[in-house]
């Protein structure tokens, strides 16, 4: 019943841009914090950005000024706009939705982002 589906990944050249989407269903989306995480081969999964239902955002230092997280509660969808992409951004990107107090959390299946010339 609960689904998070990422889309928008792909191959892009360094310096390029990409927008990821996370479409959710089966949850009251506005009550959940939404976040983007990424995992590169051989590395631990890391938090990239989070956004609360009220619009407060947080970013890992390496993407500040380049990535923008947003959400449209009416569409039950979260977004990650990625600009000035670097090869180091290459990873599988995952969407997560979690209740404010952490009682429930859900993950999407991931979408591949590859930054290469």
């Amino acid at each position: 019943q609960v689904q998070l589906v990422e889309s928008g990944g792909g191959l892009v050249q360094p310096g390029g841009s990409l927008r990821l989407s996370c479409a959710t269903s089966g949850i009251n989306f506005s009550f959940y914090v939404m976040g983007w995480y990424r995992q590169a081969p051989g590395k631990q999964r890391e938090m990239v950005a989070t956004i609360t239902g009220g619009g407060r955002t947080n970013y890992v230092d390496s993407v500040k000024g380049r990535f923008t997280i947003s959400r449209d509660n009416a569409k039950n969808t979260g977004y990650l706009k990625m600009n000035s992409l670097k090869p180091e951004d290459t990873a599988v990107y995952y969407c997560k939705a979690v209740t404010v107090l952490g009682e429930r959390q859900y993950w999407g299946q991931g979408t591949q982002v590859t930054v290469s010339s």
Side-chain angles (χ1 to χ4, degrees):
Q1 185 182 37
V2 176
Q3 291 190 52
L4 278 67
V5 180
E6 301 98 332
S7 61
L11 174 64
V12 65
Q13 291 186 310
S17 297
L18 219 53
R19 188 181 76 165
L20 307 183
S21 297
C22 175
T24 73
S25 60
I27 62 171
N28 191 336
F29 182 63
S30 66
F31 290 162
Y32 285 73
V33 177
M34 192 272 290
W36 289 96
Y37 295 72
R38 66 187 180 187
Q39 188 166 24
K43 298 186 67 178
Q44 293 184 309
R45 188 173 297 187
E46 69 171 345
M47 185 274 290
V48 177
T50 61
I51 183 168
T52 69
R56 291 189 172 92
T57 60
N58 187 44
Y59 300 90
V60 66
D61 285 345
S62 60
V63 310
K64 288 180 179 177
R66 299 189 297 120
F67 290 11
T68 302
I69 189 171
S70 62
R71 65 193 293 157
D72 187 335
N73 288 338
K75 296 181 178 179
N76 299 317
T77 301
Y79 305 93
L80 184 68
K81 183 65 169 67
M82 304 183 292
N83 295 324
S84 302
L85 282 162
K86 304 175 180 180
E88 310 92 90
D89 296 317
T90 296
V92 177
Y93 284 70
Y94 299 89
C95 179
K96 184 176 82 171
V98 59
T99 52
V100 172
L101 297 180
E103 308 101 309
R104 294 183 173 88
Q105 69 174 36
Y106 304 97
W107 290 89
Q109 81 291 341
T111 186
Q112 177 71 48
V113 172
T114 302
V115 185
S116 177
S117 59

